[in-house]
Amino acid sequence: MSIYHTLTPEQFDAIGQELDAIRNREIADLGEKDEKYIRTLIKRQRQLEVAGRGLLMAGFLPPAWLAGVACLSASKILDNMEIGHNVMHGQYDWMGDKNINSRNFDWDNTCTNTAWKHTHNFEHHTFTNVLDKDHDIGYGILRMSDDQEWEPRFVLNPILAVILSTFFQHFVAVQSLKLEDYLIYKTKTKEELKAEFKPTWKKMRKQLFKDYLLFPALAGPFFPFVFAGNVTANLARNLWSSQVIFNGHFPEEVEQFPESVLEDESRGHWYVRQMLGSANFEGGRLMHIMSGNLSFQIEHHLFPDIPAHRYARISPEVKAICEKYGLPYNTGSFMKQSVSVWKRIFKMSLPGKGGGKGKGLMAKVIPLKAESGSASRQAA
Amino acid sequence: MNATTQTPRRFQQGLQRLLQSRVAGVLSYPHGVDRYLEVLNPLWSTTEVRARVEKIEHLTADSVTVTLQPNTNWQGFIPGQFVQLTVSIDGKRHTRCYSPANSLHRTDGRIELTAKAHANGFVSRYLREQLQEGEVVTLSPAGGEFALPEQRPERVLLISGGSGITPVMSMLRTLCDEGYDGEITFLHYANRAEDMIYADELADIATRHNNVTLLRAFGDGESGGELSGLFCSEHLCSSVPDFAQATTFLCGPPPMMAAVEKVWEEEGLSDRLHKEQFTLATPQLDTSDEAGGEVRFARSETLVANNGSNLLEQAEAAGLTPESGCRMGICYSCTCKKTAGKVRDLRTGEISSGDEEDIQLCVSVPVGTVALDI
């Protein structure tokens, strides 16, 4: 049985208060060092981008091409993860700088700011790991949970996961459209889809034009080198960011929840659900920065709007709270968590319960709430 | 202008055009050209006015005079107008209005701002105590109706109090630089002689220009002024008997302004009095009662009585549909600009400043009257 059911209401409240205290302390401490951190990082990212795009112009020389791809990949990863993802979470809104602000910031990615904030900040962070509410469970493409009903298409789970990772930015860009509702469940019309796709397409078009036409064209006869460089940099960013995100929620022990947990959920319950539904991975400072500090996925889910560079310092306290209340604090090496994620992806391609660990909650609750649990898909 | 200064200027204009072109926009998408330029030099921007702090002086014990060198986006100002100065203090941006005090005809193109550091003047205290030469600040274009008319008036009366001296100082310096030959009376109120900003320069101007009369009024019991005490109509009758013929420009603390306005009103001269309220850019709001006051949704021109619930609920109850999401302060979908008033953060209990700033509607409860840009 999941710890979610053995904690007393008082314990939930106590956990909520302890975590709120950390949050309040960090918020009160926001200041110049946070500003300096994000500004320096943005500066580095812009430098890497200019260097990368410049080097690729001389991409006919293999060392320049390789260095160019490395710089541009690093630039795109920084832009999307430690800068874009975190700025759009509102981590730096308090600075009052309109250019480093969740409302205005846009990233080097085909997903629009508005669509991202809806699917990620709102749906994923509010309903973390709640089946049928958190679209990040499988992105509408994969089967990532025992309690997601098996369909024949999920035989292709591992292949679909590779495709998802390869074109991750585009899948994220269209995530808000819930394509499966049109293609598979037929609950969405073509017209609705078209209208919803319009703003996304506007952004996608600009990104594709810039990376695959304009910059290559600037290189004249060396068009193919720049084109190939940009394809590789985008691919590197896609593979890296998707793996980082998968590692945050899909290692085998990470729990998923039925919709019923949302009824009258207290602050303490919400915090506990975030901790049970997230996993960290370990690494050095560079690893943390390049993963947008999503290596501290647990801390990020507890405090999504606190500047991410603070998570490393907060993590021992969070770990101590977990130990105190007997909550798991899921962490391991990047490799260990990745292997665990891919095991889940393979297991879920077969019908029936995958037999993974840590599914006590779903197994216990679903039968009790059979009506609401199984009816939700048809109703959606 | 000779050829040597023409060429860099033409080059600069060409570069500016290139950087503002569509191609540059697409290449730098989605961040925009400015975000790359500022990495090279924080002063560089294709649109924003930014300025480097060239000099910091302390003309009196509690004031600071900052000389700024703006970038080429600065379009100049009319004496009397103000600019919004934005500085970053402990990571957070703060914006305040200041009136440049320099002459329009200053040849080095620099802007001079003077502020008095009040005990609770957060930004002015920062300017006085922490701002460093070489730092880069952000400015708005100049604005405001309080301005010296292009057709210079025949007779000018400048009345100021405290740090309200800055816009009328700019007018005086400009008129003197132009060789203006009409009569100018400069009537200034300060608590003490040593608190008077620009005291030496004003005395100097008055000696060199026969058409300038300097009248200084210091607090009761203070010596060194031509007048003493607070503004009263006797000051005018005795020292500026022809005030009715003058075009008058007034800037000072609210009680003093009210006293002056009253005299002009009584004389039926209100249309000859130009005034600038310099102490508060936003209206003073009543914050005594938390659940009292009203919520003003400026853009949708809606006004409701503050019922004490969070601003998202109040907006929705008023029939508005602001963007929203989690309703618990984590997704930032409902972030919007508060233009005035204070709010309490439901999570921390902290009460915000009354400044213009971004807030999350779902976790903000108005403390008294609040104005929002939705």
PDB file of all heavy atoms in Angstrom, chain B residues 336-356:
ATOM      1  N   CYS B 336      -0.732  39.234 -13.982  1.00  0.00           N
ATOM      2  CA  CYS B 336      -1.076  40.461 -14.683  1.00  0.00           C
ATOM      3  C   CYS B 336      -0.462  41.655 -13.971  1.00  0.00           C
ATOM      4  O   CYS B 336       0.073  41.531 -12.877  1.00  0.00           O
ATOM      5  CB  CYS B 336      -2.585  40.620 -14.824  1.00  0.00           C
ATOM      6  SG  CYS B 336      -3.350  41.456 -13.458  1.00  0.00           S
ATOM      7  N   LYS B 337      -0.548  42.788 -14.616  1.00  0.00           N
ATOM      8  CA  LYS B 337       0.097  43.972 -14.075  1.00  0.00           C
ATOM      9  C   LYS B 337      -0.827  44.718 -13.119  1.00  0.00           C
ATOM     10  O   LYS B 337      -1.961  45.025 -13.462  1.00  0.00           O
ATOM     11  CB  LYS B 337       0.521  44.896 -15.218  1.00  0.00           C
ATOM     12  CG  LYS B 337       1.509  45.957 -14.738  1.00  0.00           C
ATOM     13  CD  LYS B 337       1.662  47.107 -15.723  1.00  0.00           C
ATOM     14  CE  LYS B 337       2.519  46.753 -16.912  1.00  0.00           C
ATOM     15  NZ  LYS B 337       2.536  47.823 -17.911  1.00  0.00           N
ATOM     16  N   LYS B 338      -0.323  44.956 -11.922  1.00  0.00           N
ATOM     17  CA  LYS B 338      -1.027  45.805 -10.962  1.00  0.00           C
ATOM     18  C   LYS B 338      -0.448  47.194 -11.138  1.00  0.00           C
ATOM     19  O   LYS B 338       0.758  47.389 -11.067  1.00  0.00           O
ATOM     20  CB  LYS B 338      -0.769  45.279  -9.544  1.00  0.00           C
ATOM     21  CG  LYS B 338      -1.077  46.283  -8.438  1.00  0.00           C
ATOM     22  CD  LYS B 338      -0.928  45.651  -7.074  1.00  0.00           C
ATOM     23  CE  LYS B 338       0.512  45.501  -6.625  1.00  0.00           C
ATOM     24  NZ  LYS B 338       1.234  46.764  -6.375  1.00  0.00           N
ATOM     25  N   THR B 339      -1.313  48.162 -11.396  1.00  0.00           N
ATOM     26  CA  THR B 339      -0.796  49.509 -11.660  1.00  0.00           C
ATOM     27  C   THR B 339      -0.750  50.367 -10.398  1.00  0.00           C
ATOM     28  O   THR B 339       0.024  51.308 -10.324  1.00  0.00           O
ATOM     29  CB  THR B 339      -1.631  50.222 -12.739  1.00  0.00           C
ATOM     30  OG1 THR B 339      -3.000  50.110 -12.385  1.00  0.00           O
ATOM     31  CG2 THR B 339      -1.411  49.597 -14.099  1.00  0.00           C
ATOM     32  N   ALA B 340      -1.586  50.033  -9.421  1.00  0.00           N
ATOM     33  CA  ALA B 340      -1.533  50.783  -8.168  1.00  0.00           C
ATOM     34  C   ALA B 340      -2.182  49.981  -7.057  1.00  0.00           C
ATOM     35  O   ALA B 340      -3.001  49.095  -7.304  1.00  0.00           O
ATOM     36  CB  ALA B 340      -2.260  52.120  -8.328  1.00  0.00           C
ATOM     37  N   GLY B 341      -1.827  50.294  -5.832  1.00  0.00           N
ATOM     38  CA  GLY B 341      -2.439  49.642  -4.685  1.00  0.00           C
ATOM     39  C   GLY B 341      -1.616  48.467  -4.180  1.00  0.00           C
ATOM     40  O   GLY B 341      -0.657  48.051  -4.803  1.00  0.00           O
ATOM     41  N   LYS B 342      -2.013  48.003  -2.992  1.00  0.00           N
ATOM     42  CA  LYS B 342      -1.269  46.917  -2.364  1.00  0.00           C
ATOM     43  C   LYS B 342      -2.078  45.632  -2.354  1.00  0.00           C
ATOM     44  O   LYS B 342      -3.305  45.664  -2.263  1.00  0.00           O
ATOM     45  CB  LYS B 342      -0.924  47.295  -0.913  1.00  0.00           C
ATOM     46  CG  LYS B 342       0.006  48.491  -0.810  1.00  0.00           C
ATOM     47  CD  LYS B 342       0.332  48.811   0.623  1.00  0.00           C
ATOM     48  CE  LYS B 342       1.252  50.036   0.669  1.00  0.00           C
ATOM     49  NZ  LYS B 342       1.669  50.365   2.023  1.00  0.00           N
ATOM     50  N   VAL B 343      -1.384  44.496  -2.410  1.00  0.00           N
ATOM     51  CA  VAL B 343      -2.055  43.198  -2.305  1.00  0.00           C
ATOM     52  C   VAL B 343      -1.328  42.336  -1.289  1.00  0.00           C
ATOM     53  O   VAL B 343      -0.144  42.523  -1.043  1.00  0.00           O
ATOM     54  CB  VAL B 343      -2.101  42.454  -3.662  1.00  0.00           C
ATOM     55  CG1 VAL B 343      -2.953  43.177  -4.667  1.00  0.00           C
ATOM     56  CG2 VAL B 343      -0.695  42.228  -4.213  1.00  0.00           C
ATOM     57  N   ARG B 344      -2.087  41.413  -0.710  1.00  0.00           N
ATOM     58  CA  ARG B 344      -1.486  40.477   0.226  1.00  0.00           C
ATOM     59  C   ARG B 344      -1.330  39.124  -0.466  1.00  0.00           C
ATOM     60  O   ARG B 344      -2.261  38.632  -1.107  1.00  0.00           O
ATOM     61  CB  ARG B 344      -2.370  40.338   1.468  1.00  0.00           C
ATOM     62  CG  ARG B 344      -1.740  39.504   2.588  1.00  0.00           C
ATOM     63  CD  ARG B 344      -2.423  39.756   3.929  1.00  0.00           C
ATOM     64  NE  ARG B 344      -3.878  39.696   3.834  1.00  0.00           N
ATOM     65  CZ  ARG B 344      -4.577  38.561   3.850  1.00  0.00           C
ATOM     66  NH1 ARG B 344      -3.968  37.404   3.955  1.00  0.00           N
ATOM     67  NH2 ARG B 344      -5.881  38.583   3.749  1.00  0.00           N
ATOM     68  N   ASP B 345      -0.149  38.527  -0.354  1.00  0.00           N
ATOM     69  CA  ASP B 345       0.095  37.204  -0.923  1.00  0.00           C
ATOM     70  C   ASP B 345      -0.515  36.176   0.019  1.00  0.00           C
ATOM     71  O   ASP B 345      -0.147  36.098   1.188  1.00  0.00           O
ATOM     72  CB  ASP B 345       1.606  36.977  -1.073  1.00  0.00           C
ATOM     73  CG  ASP B 345       1.919  35.696  -1.816  1.00  0.00           C
ATOM     74  OD1 ASP B 345       1.257  34.674  -1.538  1.00  0.00           O
ATOM     75  OD2 ASP B 345       2.821  35.715  -2.672  1.00  0.00           O
ATOM     76  N   LEU B 346      -1.480  35.398  -0.501  1.00  0.00           N
ATOM     77  CA  LEU B 346      -2.195  34.438   0.345  1.00  0.00           C
ATOM     78  C   LEU B 346      -1.285  33.361   0.905  1.00  0.00           C
ATOM     79  O   LEU B 346      -1.582  32.738   1.913  1.00  0.00           O
ATOM     80  CB  LEU B 346      -3.305  33.767  -0.470  1.00  0.00           C
ATOM     81  CG  LEU B 346      -4.568  34.595  -0.655  1.00  0.00           C
ATOM     82  CD1 LEU B 346      -5.509  33.904  -1.627  1.00  0.00           C
ATOM     83  CD2 LEU B 346      -5.261  34.782   0.695  1.00  0.00           C
ATOM     84  N   ARG B 347      -0.173  33.117   0.241  1.00  0.00           N
ATOM     85  CA  ARG B 347       0.711  32.046   0.690  1.00  0.00           C
ATOM     86  C   ARG B 347       1.641  32.504   1.802  1.00  0.00           C
ATOM     87  O   ARG B 347       1.893  31.802   2.755  1.00  0.00           O
ATOM     88  CB  ARG B 347       1.527  31.518  -0.490  1.00  0.00           C
ATOM     89  CG  ARG B 347       0.648  30.901  -1.556  1.00  0.00           C
ATOM     90  CD  ARG B 347       1.398  30.778  -2.853  1.00  0.00           C
ATOM     91  NE  ARG B 347       1.852  32.075  -3.356  1.00  0.00           N
ATOM     92  CZ  ARG B 347       2.539  32.248  -4.464  1.00  0.00           C
ATOM     93  NH1 ARG B 347       2.894  31.201  -5.173  1.00  0.00           N
ATOM     94  NH2 ARG B 347       2.882  33.452  -4.859  1.00  0.00           N
ATOM     95  N   THR B 348       2.164  33.710   1.627  1.00  0.00           N
ATOM     96  CA  THR B 348       3.155  34.167   2.600  1.00  0.00           C
ATOM     97  C   THR B 348       2.588  35.193   3.576  1.00  0.00           C
ATOM     98  O   THR B 348       3.192  35.484   4.594  1.00  0.00           O
ATOM     99  CB  THR B 348       4.345  34.829   1.887  1.00  0.00           C
ATOM    100  OG1 THR B 348       3.857  35.936   1.125  1.00  0.00           O
ATOM    101  CG2 THR B 348       5.041  33.858   0.956  1.00  0.00           C
ATOM    102  N   GLY B 349       1.416  35.746   3.226  1.00  0.00           N
ATOM    103  CA  GLY B 349       0.836  36.772   4.079  1.00  0.00           C
ATOM    104  C   GLY B 349       1.500  38.127   3.885  1.00  0.00           C
ATOM    105  O   GLY B 349       1.099  39.120   4.499  1.00  0.00           O
ATOM    106  N   GLU B 350       2.472  38.168   3.001  1.00  0.00           N
ATOM    107  CA  GLU B 350       3.231  39.403   2.819  1.00  0.00           C
ATOM    108  C   GLU B 350       2.413  40.426   2.027  1.00  0.00           C
ATOM    109  O   GLU B 350       1.676  40.079   1.110  1.00  0.00           O
ATOM    110  CB  GLU B 350       4.514  39.074   2.057  1.00  0.00           C
ATOM    111  CG  GLU B 350       5.612  40.066   2.301  1.00  0.00           C
ATOM    112  CD  GLU B 350       6.873  39.660   1.562  1.00  0.00           C
ATOM    113  OE1 GLU B 350       7.362  38.528   1.796  1.00  0.00           O
ATOM    114  OE2 GLU B 350       7.344  40.448   0.753  1.00  0.00           O
ATOM    115  N   ILE B 351       2.568  41.676   2.419  1.00  0.00           N
ATOM    116  CA  ILE B 351       1.856  42.730   1.704  1.00  0.00           C
ATOM    117  C   ILE B 351       2.824  43.414   0.756  1.00  0.00           C
ATOM    118  O   ILE B 351       3.948  43.768   1.126  1.00  0.00           O
ATOM    119  CB  ILE B 351       1.213  43.712   2.702  1.00  0.00           C
ATOM    120  CG1 ILE B 351       0.089  42.970   3.456  1.00  0.00           C
ATOM    121  CG2 ILE B 351       0.647  44.936   1.988  1.00  0.00           C
ATOM    122  CD1 ILE B 351      -0.625  43.773   4.490  1.00  0.00           C
ATOM    123  N   SER B 352       2.383  43.564  -0.491  1.00  0.00           N
ATOM    124  CA  SER B 352       3.266  44.095  -1.532  1.00  0.00           C
ATOM    125  C   SER B 352       3.451  45.596  -1.364  1.00  0.00           C
ATOM    126  O   SER B 352       2.788  46.237  -0.562  1.00  0.00           O
ATOM    127  CB  SER B 352       2.666  43.827  -2.905  1.00  0.00           C
ATOM    128  OG  SER B 352       1.594  44.725  -3.116  1.00  0.00           O
ATOM    129  N   SER B 353       4.326  46.157  -2.170  1.00  0.00           N
ATOM    130  CA  SER B 353       4.453  47.610  -2.210  1.00  0.00           C
ATOM    131  C   SER B 353       3.299  48.160  -3.046  1.00  0.00           C
ATOM    132  O   SER B 353       2.572  47.412  -3.680  1.00  0.00           O
ATOM    133  CB  SER B 353       5.779  47.991  -2.850  1.00  0.00           C
ATOM    134  OG  SER B 353       5.724  47.744  -4.240  1.00  0.00           O
ATOM    135  N   GLY B 354       3.137  49.435  -3.055  1.00  0.00           N
ATOM    136  CA  GLY B 354       2.048  50.041  -3.830  1.00  0.00           C
ATOM    137  C   GLY B 354       2.449  50.332  -5.261  1.00  0.00           C
ATOM    138  O   GLY B 354       1.709  50.954  -6.009  1.00  0.00           O
ATOM    139  N   ASP B 355       3.643  49.868  -5.646  1.00  0.00           N
ATOM    140  CA  ASP B 355       4.165  50.185  -6.975  1.00  0.00           C
ATOM    141  C   ASP B 355       3.495  49.367  -8.070  1.00  0.00           C
ATOM    142  O   ASP B 355       2.821  48.394  -7.805  1.00  0.00           O
ATOM    143  CB  ASP B 355       5.657  49.856  -7.045  1.00  0.00           C
ATOM    144  CG  ASP B 355       6.463  50.705  -6.105  1.00  0.00           C
ATOM    145  OD1 ASP B 355       5.910  51.726  -5.652  1.00  0.00           O
ATOM    146  OD2 ASP B 355       7.615  50.343  -5.820  1.00  0.00           O
ATOM    147  N   GLU B 356       3.801  49.777  -9.272  1.00  0.00           N
ATOM    148  CA  GLU B 356       3.387  48.998 -10.427  1.00  0.00           C
ATOM    149  C   GLU B 356       4.243  47.735 -10.461  1.00  0.00           C
ATOM    150  O   GLU B 356       5.468  47.811 -10.371  1.00  0.00           O
ATOM    151  CB  GLU B 356       3.630  49.830 -11.689  1.00  0.00           C
ATOM    152  CG  GLU B 356       3.131  49.183 -12.939  1.00  0.00           C
ATOM    153  CD  GLU B 356       3.231  50.111 -14.125  1.00  0.00           C
ATOM    154  OE1 GLU B 356       2.561  51.160 -14.125  1.00  0.00           O
ATOM    155  OE2 GLU B 356       3.987  49.795 -15.045  1.00  0.00           O
TER     156      GLU B 356
END
